[in-house]
Amino acid sequence: MGEQSRILAVLGPTNTGKTHFAIERMLGYRTGVIGLPLRLLAREVYDKIVAVRGPSVVALVTGEERIVPPRTQYWVCTVEAMPEGMGADFVAVDEIQLCADPERGHVFTDRLLRMRGQKETQFLGAHTMRGAIAALVPGVEFVGRERMSQLTYTGSKKISKMPARSAIVGFSVENVYAFAELLRRQKGGAAVVMGALSPRTRNAQVDLYQNGDVDYLVATDAIGMGLNLDINHVAFSSLTKFDGRRMRNLAPNELGQIAGRAGRGMTSGTFGVTGEAPELPEDMAQAIMDHRFTPIRKLEWRNAALQFGTVDALIASLEQKPEDDWLARAREADDLVVLRTLAGDAEIAARASDGASVRLLWDVCRVPDFRGISHAEHAGLLERIFSDLHEHGRVSEDWLAGHVARIDRTDGDIDTLSKRLAYIRTWTYVAQRKGWVGDENHWRETTRAVEDRLSDALHDALTQRFVDRRTSVLMRRLKQKDAIVAKVNDKGEVTVEGEFVGRLEGFRFRQDKTAGGQEAKAVAQASLQALAPHFHLRADKFYNAPDTEIDFTEQGGLMWGESAVGKLVAGADPLKPQVEAFVDETAGPEVMQKVQRRLQHFIDRKVATLFEPLLNIQRDEALSGLARGFGFQLVENFGIIPRGEVADEVKALDQDARGQLRKHGVRFGQFTVFMPLLLKPAPTRLRLVLWSLKMGLEEFPEAPPPGLVTVPSGSAAPRGYHSMSGYRAAGERAIRIDMLERLADMLRSEDSRGGFEANADMLSITGMTLEQFADLMQGLGYNAEQGEREKVKPVDAALEDAPEPSEAGAVPEETTAEDAVEQIVEDGLAPVTEVPPEDPEVEPDIPEMSETEVPLGEVPDAAKDEIEMEVYYTFTWAGRAAKTRGEGRGKPQGGKPRPKGGKPKGKGKPRREEGAKSFSSRPEKKDRIDPDNPFAAALMGLKDKS
């Protein structure tokens, strides 16, 4: 090799720049080859050299990837894929201490013994290899490298206490996934790095960690093989690993190789344990910190001078023992196990009959078992590959295409995608072998494209499962000096740096409930910091909003659009409620005061508008004496007072006082003193809220639906509710007080002593059936006697009401029941109800019958079954008993309807009362006209005429 050839052993702990030193030396020569322990590290080094010299002169060769430009000068390879016999100027082998590895050690030992550069050779590794290299490599020069930073042991730490920029090391896929999930919940997420990942997936995961999206990395011991990452702390989750055959404890030098990843350049690092891993013994921890490990005494070795004459000769050469004491025969590797299996097959033995076929069989047996399936299944796959190559010179494209097509799917979970990636690696390896497939370029591109798609899908699945993007983004932004920017859309959804964090409901921030632990803290901290300006902008917008955008609920809430911004609370004056604003403390006192003032202005104007007639009474200076006192009673009762509760006060009012109050719209009804303008839906809704605040109710009763004359009275309604809602309970239903007064006017003209029936007008204004009306009348203090009679047919009723011939076509002066019903419906006061028939006792004028006609009242036997009966009620005043039964409870006061055939009892007519609950035993004078009756003037005129 000439005098210029040098062999250097560059030895030292991690973070000494050994690999960087070798790359610089290689680029100083025209050609060079560097072998690396992992394809992940090979890809990293390849990218670095391409960045310096360009892709046209750099080759990348691994088991599954082959990029070889025509003018290649520098070869970056895995140690197994290093080309031999090229005569390159420079050769380097990294992590040479792997010569002692039970699985791959024989490959590194072979490179140590046989790979040389024309001008320079470098072996990079730990000090533990110094003795073995000195004994096996004549003329070697040793170059020592010192660690550029300190490494310190910090003991055990919980995951919750793990510092940022930490790597947690596990030695199984299950262990890695478990810690990644734990970090996602507590710290916002972690990147995952394993040797089984494709370079594309690994690089994408490393980028998550390196660019700060996550502060934690969960990895296997693959990170100990030269991967350059920005790690401050390494934590071991276990001190044992499965080496392919058995569980064993990790040696101190193995722990030191991984722990050495902590610290970068001049930055010191720390290491320790976490989870269920026990504390490191003091002497072991100190050895790792001092980089003092037991020297390697034996290197794994397998004969490289193979005999390909026969299969038996090949196996014998592979089993040959070494002659040097520094070397130990490697344990039986997977390729030798498969060779033995296939050699026992008669067909394979017949095919491998010469040197070329034996060499081909050995090449096929060296296809790694990426899938990790059973030995027999892997041997069966290789048997088919060897048979195709031996018989046809290439692998069947249809068979290959079928396997690749089945793998080319990106659906499924992490485990499914990982298995597909392992499967495609087998076919990627086959496609990379020269001469094994027909169209090499096509199949190399196809298998690489499938691997890339699966790699991207696996990266997305890992990120989705183990990284909370929202938390990672927010944590990174909180560390920076720049202000965090929040956006609020028209639905109130809040995003910070593009991540959804919750909703802004009015002036309160509702954090996303899916966040928990560290994630919730990060979301809250970032959100409140970013929302501060939004609270002020929103407060300004709210303060200038029109009243039409604000409303109150029937439970006293205050709404701005669909957002709750406050609630009403009782004040000293029932007509002057106070407001309590819903504003987060973080919004500040200025926002709170602005929202409070705007809400107070709103409710004050609402009360002033809807209760203007009532407030006018309060402001009227002309009212004096009893009128003024009664007016204040009306104000305190929101414009509605049952007459029975103020019977004495009403009686004490003279006509002038009543006239003053009537000018303000006060009506003195038989049952209620009220203001008709306040019975409209809007005042009623607000009145119930104010009354509920005054009464201190926990749950406010709702206003009845607008437009209904009667509603169910209910038994659970609080006392006073019906009056405040504009109704009076009577029996099972409550009737609107203005319609009740109309009914009272109709009842004055009826003979309540002798008994009367309900007419169509009565049923129409109440919108009730006859049975419901009977229950209502009992609630008002009447007895209802039920009877049954033959129903008058419509034709008979028509004959009774038929006009004289001279009056045919004339319009009667009196309004019919149908007209009354129609008018009530048009007024929107009640639905159309059944109109009872006219009195059947009035005999119509019946013409003479022919001999074949049946006399009236005589029904032929065949027609008897067609007779239809009807139920009717006779109402009479219940007298003194009505006053003592169920007073004020809105329940029937006349008892249950009497059975058929019953007769009303008692003498005399009931005295007309000014209130529903105050009665007198003396009969009222017939010539007296109630001055409170709205038709008093008309009645006086009729009396004068008579």
Side-chain angles (χ1 to χ4, degrees):
M1 295 184 197
E3 296 179 359
Q4 295 179 341
S5 178
R6 297 177 63 192
I7 303 176
L8 300 177
V10 184
L11 306 179
T14 56
N15 194 27
T16 58
K18 298 186 295 293
T19 304
H20 181 72
F21 173 74
I23 293 172
E24 285 190 335
R25 294 290 297 174
M26 182 176 71
L27 294 180
Y29 294 99
R30 188 181 65 84
T31 60
V33 179
I34 184 169
L36 300 152
L38 296 173
R39 63 179 186 143
L40 302 179
L41 183 57
R43 168 59 85 164
E44 183 178 304
V45 172
Y46 168 78
D47 292 338
K48 288 182 178 180
I49 298 177
V50 165
V52 176
R53 293 300 175 87
S56 62
V57 295
V58 187
L60 174 65
V61 182
T62 67
E64 302 97 275
E65 195 168 12
R66 184 179 179 85
I67 303 173
V68 184
R71 299 187 298 109
T72 298
Q73 293 178 270
Y74 305 104
W75 297 73
V76 182
C77 318
T78 53
V79 173
E80 287 84 351
M82 293 178 70
E84 300 182 33
M86 293 188 60
D89 293 338
F90 178 88
V91 170
V93 181
D94 199 8
E95 305 294 353
I96 196 64
Q97 72 274 5
L98 288 179
C99 288
D101 183 71
E103 292 185 35
R104 305 170 62 201
H106 64 276
V107 179
F108 284 81
T109 301
D110 178 73
R111 303 300 184 256
L112 175 69
L113 298 177
R114 300 193 309 109
M115 288 290 290
R116 298 292 183 268
Q118 294 290 334
K119 297 182 180 180
E120 184 174 333
T121 303
Q122 286 190 14
F123 299 111
L124 317 174
H127 283 296
T128 55
M129 281 292 293
R130 185 181 181 96
I133 293 176
L136 297 172
V137 182
V140 65
E141 301 176 30
F142 290 97
V143 178
R145 305 278 295 191
E146 296 297 326
R147 183 177 172 87
M148 292 183 283
S149 62
Q150 295 295 319
L151 189 62
T152 307
Y153 177 65
T154 58
S156 179
K157 290 182 182 293
K158 295 181 179 180
I159 288 294
S160 58
K161 303 295 184 181
M162 197 66 62
R165 312 311 292 169
S166 293
I168 291 82
V169 181
F171 298 97
S172 68
V173 173
E174 294 78 10
N175 190 251
V176 168
Y177 287 171
F179 275 95
E181 179 66 28
L182 187 60
L183 284 166
R184 187 196 71 82
R185 293 199 301 267
Q186 296 192 3
K187 301 290 187 178
V192 175
V193 174
M194 298 183 291
L197 298 179
S198 67
R200 189 181 183 94
T201 304
R202 171 262 179 186
N203 291 340
Q205 287 289 300
V206 167
D207 286 344
L208 279 177
Y209 177 79
Q210 289 292 86
N211 63 23
D213 283 346
V214 292
D215 275 335
Y216 299 90
L217 179 73
V218 184
T220 60
D221 53 351
I223 66 168
M225 298 300 173
L227 295 181
N228 296 313
L229 301 172
D230 183 16
I231 299 173
N232 294 336
H233 180 78
V234 171
F236 294 95
S237 65
S238 176
L239 301 180
T240 60
K241 68 175 289 187
F242 182 71
D243 63 3
R245 300 201 175 185
R246 62 184 177 86
M247 291 294 297
R248 64 175 180 84
N249 294 324
L250 283 101
N253 63 312
E254 292 176 306
L255 293 173
Q257 180 72 25
I258 300 169
R261 293 297 106 193
R264 185 79 181 274
M266 302 302 294
T267 303
S268 296
T270 58
F271 69 98
V273 295
T274 189
E276 298 180 357
E279 288 267 14
L280 291 176
E282 185 177 351
D283 56 344
M284 181 182 292
Q286 191 62 48
I288 294 174
M289 289 188 286
D290 296 339
H291 318 295
R292 291 183 293 101
F293 306 109
T294 303
I296 294 174
R297 300 298 182 187
K298 290 288 184 178
L299 308 184
E300 299 292 322
W301 178 86
R302 190 167 73 177
N303 184 23
L306 302 181
Q307 303 297 320
F308 294 104
T310 64
V311 174
D312 291 339
L314 174 60
I315 293 174
S317 62
L318 288 168
E319 293 177 341
Q320 184 176 330
K321 295 182 179 181
E323 298 177 356
D324 196 301
D325 291 340
W326 280 94
L327 305 176
R329 193 182 77 177
R331 69 187 186 187
E332 197 169 77
D334 291 341
D335 51 7
L336 179 55
V337 174
V338 174
L339 178 62
R340 290 181 185 280
T341 301
L342 295 182
D345 184 272
E347 182 179 349
I348 298 298
R351 290 181 182 277
S353 57
D354 54 17
S357 59
V358 172
R359 184 181 294 274
L360 176 62
L361 177 61
W362 175 238
D363 285 343
V364 172
C365 290
R366 293 172 67 188
V367 175
D369 184 12
F370 295 110
R371 302 177 296 173
I373 54 180
S374 67
H375 171 74
E377 190 171 350
H378 182 60
L381 175 67
L382 299 187
E383 178 183 354
R384 171 63 189 270
I385 292 175
F386 173 73
S387 299
D388 281 0
L389 292 174
H390 185 269
E391 184 175 351
H392 306 292
R394 61 178 59 88
V395 174
S396 169
E397 291 202 7
D398 291 341
W399 182 61
L400 174 60
H403 278 279
V404 173
R406 283 194 293 273
I407 298 170
D408 189 12
R409 292 174 52 193
T410 57
D411 59 314
D413 56 15
I414 292 175
D415 291 337
T416 301
L417 293 171
S418 298
K419 289 179 181 178
R420 291 187 190 136
L421 259 176
Y423 285 11
I424 197 62
R425 290 179 68 185
T426 299
W427 301 112
T428 303
Y429 186 95
V430 170
Q432 294 295 333
R433 303 293 294 175
K434 188 173 181 60
W436 281 24
V437 293
D439 189 345
E440 292 182 356
N441 290 333
H442 166 74
W443 286 112
R444 286 173 183 174
E445 292 176 0
T446 299
T447 54
R448 173 60 54 201
V450 173
E451 181 173 337
D452 287 347
R453 283 193 290 273
L454 290 171
S455 298
D456 292 342
L458 179 57
H459 167 66
D460 291 340
L462 289 169
T463 303
Q464 184 175 2
R465 178 173 173 183
F466 299 126
V467 177
D468 190 301
R469 286 276 193 180
R470 174 177 60 189
T471 305
S472 63
V473 169
L474 297 180
M475 292 291 287
R476 186 173 73 250
R477 293 291 291 157
L478 286 171
K479 296 175 186 176
Q480 300 174 356
K481 300 294 184 180
D482 299 337
I484 298 178
V485 179
K487 293 183 179 180
V488 183
N489 63 16
D490 54 355
K491 297 180 180 178
E493 296 174 342
V494 181
T495 56
V496 177
E497 300 298 324
E499 300 294 331
F500 174 75
V501 296
R503 295 180 182 277
L504 193 59
E505 297 178 359
F507 298 91
R508 293 187 295 187
F509 174 65
R510 302 299 187 190
Q511 186 170 319
D512 182 22
K513 295 181 179 180
T514 61
Q518 183 71 20
E519 178 187 359
K521 294 179 182 178
V523 169
Q525 185 178 356
S527 303
L528 296 177
Q529 178 180 334
L531 282 174
H534 282 276
F535 280 125
H536 286 277
L537 291 173
R538 181 166 280 216
D540 291 339
K541 182 179 179 181
F542 176 65
Y543 195 82
N544 296 313
D547 282 355
T548 53
E549 294 184 8
I550 309 173
D551 197 5
F552 64 91
T553 69
E554 294 190 344
Q555 295 301 313
L558 294 169
M559 307 293 293
W560 181 29
E562 296 182 356
S563 301
V565 292
K567 68 177 182 178
L568 294 174
V569 295
D573 186 335
L575 288 176
K576 294 181 180 179
Q578 301 302 301
V579 299
E580 181 181 315
F582 296 157
V583 180
D584 281 343
E585 292 183 5
T586 52
E590 184 179 346
V591 173
M592 170 69 79
Q593 293 171 8
K594 188 171 290 188
V595 175
Q596 189 105 7
R597 286 198 305 270
R598 181 65 186 90
L599 290 175
Q600 193 66 56
H601 293 163
F602 161 76
I603 196 61
D604 289 346
R605 282 197 290 266
K606 184 66 71 173
V607 171
T609 301
L610 297 181
F611 289 96
E612 182 180 4
L614 199 59
L615 297 176
N616 287 338
I617 294 178
Q618 197 175 40
R619 292 190 290 261
D620 189 357
E621 298 294 337
L623 286 178
S624 61
L626 295 178
R628 188 171 186 81
F630 194 84
F632 275 100
Q633 277 189 282
L634 273 173
V635 173
E636 290 176 356
N637 288 274
F638 305 101
I640 298 176
I641 308 178
R643 185 156 180 165
E645 296 179 6
V646 290
D648 294 337
E649 289 87 341
V650 173
K651 187 180 298 184
L653 292 173
D654 57 21
Q655 289 300 318
D656 290 338
R658 296 189 186 193
Q660 290 178 351
L661 292 172
R662 287 195 182 102
K663 289 179 181 178
H664 287 284
V666 179
R667 179 178 177 185
F668 294 88
Q670 178 176 337
F671 294 94
T672 313
V673 180
F674 63 100
M675 304 181 74
L677 287 177
L678 300 187
L679 297 184
K680 294 181 179 180
T684 298
R685 180 166 165 260
L686 180 57
R687 179 171 56 251
L688 280 171
V689 172
L690 299 181
W691 174 75
S692 299
L693 290 173
K694 177 183 176 182
M695 301 300 293
L697 301 180
E698 293 185 1
E699 184 176 352
F700 297 1
E702 296 182 359
L708 297 182
V709 175
T710 64
V711 294
S713 59
S715 58
R719 182 179 180 84
Y721 161 70
H722 290 107
S723 294
M724 289 297 104
S725 60
Y727 287 76
R728 178 187 177 91
E732 297 298 323
R733 298 188 70 80
I735 183 170
R736 210 167 70 199
I737 57 179
D738 57 337
M739 301 307 292
L740 176 59
E741 297 302 332
R742 289 182 61 180
L743 177 62
D745 292 339
M746 294 180 182
L747 296 178
R748 284 194 180 99
S749 62
E750 300 294 341
D751 183 6
S752 59
R753 179 180 179 182
F756 62 92
E757 293 186 36
N759 58 38
D761 292 342
M762 297 178 187
L763 297 179
S764 297
I765 67 168
T766 59
M768 291 180 167
T769 63
L770 184 58
E771 289 75 12
Q772 291 174 334
F773 185 78
D775 181 69
L776 173 70
M777 292 294 287
Q778 291 179 92
L780 295 177
Y782 287 82
N783 286 328
E785 182 179 343
Q786 180 179 333
E788 189 175 11
R789 64 191 174 197
E790 181 181 343
K791 185 175 182 179
V792 178
K793 296 181 180 180
V795 64
D796 296 333
L799 289 173
E800 292 177 8
D801 298 335
E804 295 296 329
S806 59
E807 298 178 357
V811 179
E813 293 182 3
E814 50 281 5
T815 304
T816 64
E818 288 81 358
D819 293 335
V821 172
E822 182 178 350
Q823 184 62 43
I824 294 297
V825 173
E826 288 179 354
D827 291 344
L829 300 176
V832 179
T833 58
E834 179 184 15
V835 179
E838 297 295 335
D839 191 346
E841 295 180 2
V842 178
E843 296 184 3
D845 185 14
I846 303 175
E848 294 183 0
M849 299 177 293
S850 65
E851 296 180 356
T852 58
E853 290 179 319
V854 181
L856 182 63
E858 296 183 17
V859 182
D861 294 338
K864 285 183 179 179
D865 294 335
E866 299 179 2
I867 296 176
E868 186 176 353
M869 306 299 291
E870 67 176 356
V871 174
Y872 68 96
Y873 288 90
T874 302
F875 301 104
T876 56
W877 180 243
R880 178 180 293 273
K883 183 177 180 181
T884 60
R885 290 196 297 268
E887 185 174 347
R889 299 176 57 187
K891 295 297 181 181
Q893 298 177 355
K896 295 295 181 180
R898 297 181 182 181
K900 180 180 178 181
K903 293 183 179 180
K905 296 181 180 180
K907 296 181 179 180
K909 290 187 177 181
R911 179 176 178 270
R912 293 187 178 181
E913 300 294 331
E914 293 183 347
K917 299 178 181 179
S918 299
F919 302 97
S920 174
S921 60
R922 295 182 179 179
E924 183 181 8
K925 294 182 178 180
K926 295 183 179 180
D927 58 348
R928 181 180 176 184
I929 297 174
D930 186 0
D932 293 333
N933 193 318
F935 304 103
L939 292 173
M940 288 294 293
L942 291 173
K943 182 177 180 181
D944 294 341
K945 289 181 181 180
S946 63

